[in-house]
Amino acid sequence: MTRSMLTRANIARTLLLGAFLLFTFIPLYWMFITSIKPSDDYLAVPPVWFPAEPTILHYTAALFAYRGLDGLINSVIISLAATLLSTVLGTLMAYSLARFNTGGQHLSFWVLSQRFLPPIATVLPIFLIYRMLGLHDTHFGLIIAYTVFTLPVTVWMMFAYFRQMPKSLEEAALVDGCTRWQSLWRVAIPLAAPGIVAAAVFAFIACWTEFFFALILTSRTAFTLPTVFRAFLGFQGAQYGEASALAMVSLVPSIMLGILVQRHLVRGLTLGAVRG
């Protein structure tokens, strides 16, 4: 390949990358600007790309007047608890499927098939059961629902990871005197740490952004952050500033989590890919 062809390829790659970055960051920038704009600048013509008098009133209104802070705290508690349960249970189940072929191929496919059923088909029976058991509008009830909701994905990500991990390492630990549990905690779990991190991140994001179950299974006590956004739409208009402010707040945990576990996340997704 000639130098001119390499140059054109680099230019094309740079243009595509620039277009992708613009497509990604312009909506985020506009959402941030809307969150600090005065109300009169929302629909101004020409558009106001940066307000002359930025304000944080939308943030205070979204967090306190609309109870966004309560929803944020509930989302943190519920998402972290469900992620922890889903990761622990999913890792143990995936290890059993990969190492002992528990249930044969039918059990592993059954676990995956739980994601085939649309949530709307199960939310009404779950709602009725929760009302009967007193779990409606409770943190514990939503944690159970989110754990069941994210468990199949966690199991399949970790199943692929354990399946590609050499068995000889655990067999060597068994020969050296370790029990099966000791070989799991001392050998398999440390080697599978990137895959566990990747599965936990996906489970957390799924719980953090889930809206449908939270809308049906909660009301005034255990409501999560996504359900607060419905309060910004009214008969007389939409609260664009408050909605944008709360959206910016909701992005912070996901972005921070992605930055903190980026190295493990990339490695976990690469090594845990499902092989044919």
Side-chain angles (χ1 to χ4, degrees):
M1 185 178 292
T2 64
R3 179 171 298 181
S4 60
M5 294 178 63
L6 290 174
T7 303
R8 287 196 295 268
N10 291 332
I11 293 175
R13 190 181 300 112
T14 302
L15 291 175
L16 288 175
L17 180 60
F20 173 76
L21 291 176
L22 287 175
F23 182 79
T24 302
F25 286 107
I26 284 181
L28 294 177
Y29 173 78
W30 192 254
M31 183 169 61
F32 169 71
I33 291 301
T34 304
S35 71
I36 60 174
K37 279 182 182 180
S39 302
D40 295 336
D41 291 343
Y42 291 163
L43 304 176
V45 179
V48 178
W49 291 96
F50 195 88
E53 297 180 358
T55 178
I56 62 170
L57 293 178
H58 302 312
Y59 285 89
T60 57
L63 291 175
F64 300 104
Y66 289 93
R67 299 186 66 189
L69 183 60
D70 295 335
L72 177 65
I73 294 173
N74 289 337
S75 287
V76 170
I77 295 173
I78 293 170
S79 298
L80 288 178
T83 299
L84 179 61
L85 284 175
S86 177
T87 304
V88 172
L89 295 177
T91 300
L92 294 177
M93 186 173 181
Y95 183 81
S96 177
L97 291 173
R99 287 292 181 262
F100 306 110
N101 195 27
T102 304
Q105 296 182 352
H106 299 290
L107 181 59
S108 59
F109 180 77
W110 179 84
V111 172
L112 180 63
S113 68
Q114 302 310 299
R115 298 294 297 152
F116 298 166
L117 193 65
I120 195 172
T122 60
V123 68
L124 181 58
I126 292 175
F127 172 77
L128 296 176
I129 293 172
Y130 273 29
R131 288 293 297 269
M132 182 178 60
L133 298 178
L135 295 176
H136 180 262
D137 199 22
T138 63
H139 293 81
F140 182 67
L142 209 54
I143 289 171
I144 295 176
Y146 282 2
T147 301
V148 175
F149 175 73
T150 57
L151 192 59
V153 177
T154 303
V155 169
W156 266 83
M157 288 185 66
M158 292 310 303
F159 173 69
Y161 205 95
F162 283 125
R163 190 173 60 174
Q164 59 84 40
M165 187 182 299
K167 294 182 180 180
S168 57
L169 299 175
E170 298 165 61
E171 293 171 352
L174 294 174
V175 171
D176 289 338
C178 290
T179 64
R180 174 59 70 175
W181 279 102
Q182 288 174 333
S183 67
L184 170 64
W185 293 113
R186 296 181 182 181
V187 179
I189 295 297
L191 291 175
I196 295 174
V197 170
V201 169
F202 273 87
F204 178 83
I205 293 176
C207 296
W208 184 260
T209 59
E210 203 283 325
F211 174 77
F212 190 64
F213 277 98
L215 178 65
I216 303 299
L217 301 180
T218 64
S219 55
R220 299 184 59 85
T221 302
F223 64 93
T224 59
L225 193 61
T227 61
V228 180
F229 285 91
R230 60 179 176 163
F232 300 134
L233 297 176
F235 292 104
Q236 298 181 355
Q239 305 298 325
Y240 297 109
E242 286 78 2
S244 299
L246 198 63
M248 292 301 301
V249 172
S250 67
L251 284 176
V252 174
S254 299
I255 293 175
M256 292 181 60
L257 182 63
I259 293 174
L260 291 175
V261 302
Q262 180 181 9
R263 179 170 60 88
H264 295 288
L265 181 61
V266 173
R267 185 165 179 260
L269 291 176
T270 302
L271 294 180
V274 179
R275 297 180 300 176

